[in-house]
Amino acid sequence: MASDRRSSWLKGVLDLLVLSCLTDGESYGYEIAKALAEAGLGEIKGGTLYPVLNRLEQAGLVEAEFRASERGPGRRYYRLTDPGRIRLADEGAAWTEFHRAVRTQLHAGGTAP
């Protein structure tokens, strides 16, 4: 049950988290998934991550470029576009406000520190 709840929470914010992984420059899927896992968000599988990246690309929030590799398979690198940066700032602010409201309510109910 806890993993179902966590999965639902993640679905609501995964686009925003993926955009945030690209603020320091380009990256590819495996590195993005690794960064999210290291942030404590758990394993994000390719079947979840790549549709998000494709959706963000179709929306013009990220750009992608395939690069062949001398060793192993090529990789698709993603970078944030200017509209992606704007969306990240706007939705990041909205998420922060929502998080604040949830914490306030939980505190009022005596369930948050």
Side-chain angles (χ1 to χ4, degrees), residues 10 17 19 26 37 63 65 75 80 93 105 112:
L10 192 57
L17 295 171
L19 291 174
E26 65 186 16
E63 293 176 334
E65 175 186 350
R75 293 185 177 140
L80 206 51
Q105 181 58 39

Side-chain angles (χ1 to χ4, degrees), residues 50-90:
Y50 289 104
V52 168
L53 287 164
N54 289 335
R55 185 172 55 250
L56 294 173
E57 183 180 7
Q58 289 175 354
L61 303 176
V62 300
E63 293 176 334
E65 175 186 350
F66 181 81
R67 295 185 194 152
S69 174
E70 292 180 17
R71 298 173 66 180
R75 293 185 177 140
R76 195 163 170 83
Y77 284 82
Y78 298 89
R79 67 185 153 278
L80 206 51
T81 62
D82 288 340
R85 288 184 192 284
I86 292 168
R87 176 75 60 91
L88 176 59
D90 291 347

Side-chain angles (χ1 to χ4, degrees), residues 99-113:
H99 176 263
R100 188 180 354 253
V102 169
R103 284 189 57 85
T104 298
Q105 181 58 39
L106 290 176
H107 182 69
T111 59

Side-chain angles (χ1 to χ4, degrees), residues 6-42:
R6 185 178 176 94
S7 177
S8 293
W9 294 340
L10 192 57
K11 282 180 188 174
V13 73
L14 188 55
D15 288 17
L16 182 63
L17 295 171
V18 169
L19 291 174
S20 75
C21 287
L22 299 171
T23 57
D24 291 333
E26 65 186 16
S27 190
Y28 55 94
Y30 176 76
E31 282 188 337
I32 293 169
K34 186 176 165 187
L36 294 172
E38 288 173 356
L41 297 165

